Amino acid sequence: MANLNSSEDIDYGILDTLVGYKLRRAQVNIFNDFSEHCSRFGITPGLFGVLSIVERNPGLTQTAIANALGNDRSAMVSVVDRLESMNIVERKPSASDRRSHALFLTPHGEIFYKELVAEVLKHEASFTSLLNEGEKPLIIDMLDRIANHKPAKQ
Amino acid sequence: MANLNSSEDIDYGILDTLVGYKLRRAQVNIFNDFSEHCSRFGITPGLFGVLSIVERNPGLTQTAIANALGNDRSAMVSVVDRLESMNIVERKPSASDRRSHALFLTPHGEIFYKELVAEVLKHEASFTSLLNEGEKPLIIDMLDRIANHKPAKQ
DNA sequence: TATTGTTATACTCTATAACTATA
DNA sequence: TATAGTTATAGAGTATAACAATA
């Protein structure tokens, strides 16, 4: 009897030629591995993005960070709440604008982030090992092109 | 006064070197454009994936399709319900196993899918135009490697 | 015993709208 | 008038567990 559940004989048709579909499958797999690596830190890919921006750009506002990451500022609230509750990030009143909060890593956050980055780099190396000489800068360049492409509305 | 909301001067640090982060940004952008192109069809990237598998592999069970797409079979229920309510897909009783449903495109679904593919190919061409000679097969190959990589648990 | 479709459920992510305090 | 942070809310996507029918 034919095995209707085997995925070996599946014809993916056009999906095998679509960059978007392949991007999706790759992104899900690499994010799952990231999450496994960083679960002991309690850090998800989204939290890591915020931490990385704060670490390199201390004093930015929540809205600036949301814009940098392409997210809505409303989503920043619970993220920063979580990072503050973990004693990794702190909100400080902005000197120039009393509406906004300036974000900084705490002293513990600085140490935490360094250990976290070491784990992230292990994860990254595992995937980078799949790429041949010169392929990593090339795929990052291609992904930048795709990420920044804004087709004209029709 | 310094503009804390400009994303021009942001230092992305390690994020600029992480394939996972770049994949995420690229995938979000290309999925948004896909959704805009296909909104008049009422089709999301996820629905398109199911349709493409059904069209090329008529008679597969819901579980087989979920496995092919890397999703859980429980998520197939509402997806197939939606596609049936749109008269695009139909569940037929499996001849060999009365537990399972065999999925097929309806006659209208066949026409619908052809028109949909034409729109998807416009979307795809817009992004493929960003890639130079030989880069598309290369990025698809790299994305396949990343999608299929299963690091040993540590 | 195992699998299929299903249901109920829950969790994350994301986005929108509206409010307040400030600018 | 406009903006920052916040709150409430809602939708999509995804996953787990359990159940009835069937294998």
Side-chain angles (χ1 to χ4, degrees):
Chain A
M1 152 181 163
N3 184 355
L4 296 178
N5 294 323
S6 160
S7 61
E8 294 159 16
D9 309 329
I10 299 282
D11 180 355
Y12 284 81
I14 192 177
L15 294 182
D16 258 338
T17 73
L18 293 181
V19 174
Y21 176 72
K22 296 295 186 178
L23 273 174
R24 170 71 179 157
R25 296 299 297 258
Q27 192 247 303
V28 166
N29 194 44
I30 203 168
F31 264 44
N32 284 343
D33 186 70
F34 183 102
S35 297
E36 283 174 25
H37 270 266
C38 298
S39 63
R40 70 185 171 94
F41 292 91
I43 292 296
T44 62
L47 294 176
F48 182 75
V50 172
L51 282 183
S52 296
I53 300 293
V54 172
E55 195 259 347
R56 297 294 282 250
N57 308 270
L60 281 191
T61 67
Q62 294 181 189
T63 297
I65 293 166
N67 290 342
L69 294 170
N71 299 325
D72 193 88
R73 66 200 158 96
S74 68
M76 287 293 296
V77 180
S78 70
V79 166
V80 177
D81 285 349
R82 278 168 74 181
L83 295 173
E84 267 198 329
S85 75
M86 295 165 79
N87 188 30
I88 297 170
V89 159
E90 57 183 341
R91 292 172 165 104
K92 291 185 180 176
S94 165
S96 58
D97 186 339
R98 283 191 298 168
R99 291 172 302 180
S100 59
H101 300 152
L103 299 190
F104 299 88
L105 292 191
T106 65
H108 171 251
E110 300 276 2
I111 298 167
F112 179 91
Y113 184 74
K114 283 186 178 64
E115 295 172 0
L116 179 58
V117 164
E119 191 63 38
V120 169
L121 289 176
K122 280 193 219 171
H123 148 82
E124 179 74 5
S126 163
F127 281 88
T128 300
S129 72
L130 304 168
L131 303 177
N132 300 320
E133 192 68 27
E135 284 188 340
K136 174 161 174 173
L138 179 55
I139 193 173
I140 286 193
D141 181 60
M142 288 192 276
L143 293 173
D144 275 337
R145 280 180 250 161
I146 293 168
N148 297 321
H149 183 48
K150 296 300 175 197
K153 299 259 177 147
Q154 303 163 8
Chain B
M1 152 181 164
N3 183 354
L4 296 179
N5 295 323
S6 160
S7 60
E8 295 161 16
D9 310 329
I10 298 281
D11 180 355
Y12 284 81
I14 191 177
L15 294 182
D16 258 338
T17 74
L18 294 182
V19 174
Y21 177 71
K22 295 295 187 177
L23 272 175
R24 169 72 180 158
R25 297 300 297 259
Q27 192 246 302
V28 166
N29 194 44
I30 202 168
F31 264 44
N32 284 342
D33 185 71
F34 182 103
S35 297
E36 284 174 27
H37 270 266
C38 298
S39 63
R40 70 183 169 93
F41 292 92
I43 291 296
T44 62
L47 293 177
F48 183 74
V50 172
L51 282 183
S52 296
I53 300 292
V54 172
E55 195 259 348
R56 297 294 282 250
N57 308 269
L60 281 191
T61 68
Q62 293 181 190
T63 297
I65 293 166
N67 290 342
L69 294 170
N71 299 325
D72 193 88
R73 68 200 155 98
S74 68
M76 287 293 296
V77 180
S78 70
V79 166
V80 177
D81 285 349
R82 278 168 74 184
L83 295 173
E84 268 198 329
S85 75
M86 296 165 80
N87 188 28
I88 296 169
V89 158
E90 56 183 340
R91 292 171 165 105
K92 291 186 179 176
S94 165
S96 57
D97 185 339
R98 283 191 299 170
R99 291 172 304 181
S100 60
H101 300 152
L103 298 189
F104 299 87
L105 293 190
T106 65
H108 170 252
E110 299 277 2
I111 298 167
F112 179 92
Y113 184 74
K114 282 187 178 64
E115 294 172 1
L116 178 59
V117 164
E119 192 63 37
V120 168
L121 289 175
K122 281 193 218 170
H123 148 81
E124 178 74 7
S126 163
F127 281 88
T128 300
S129 72
L130 304 169
L131 303 178
N132 301 318
E133 191 68 27
E135 284 188 339
K136 174 159 175 175
L138 179 56
I139 194 173
I140 286 193
D141 182 60
M142 288 191 277
L143 293 173
D144 275 336
R145 281 180 250 161
I146 293 168
N148 296 321
H149 183 46
K150 294 300 174 197
K153 298 258 175 145
Q154 303 162 8

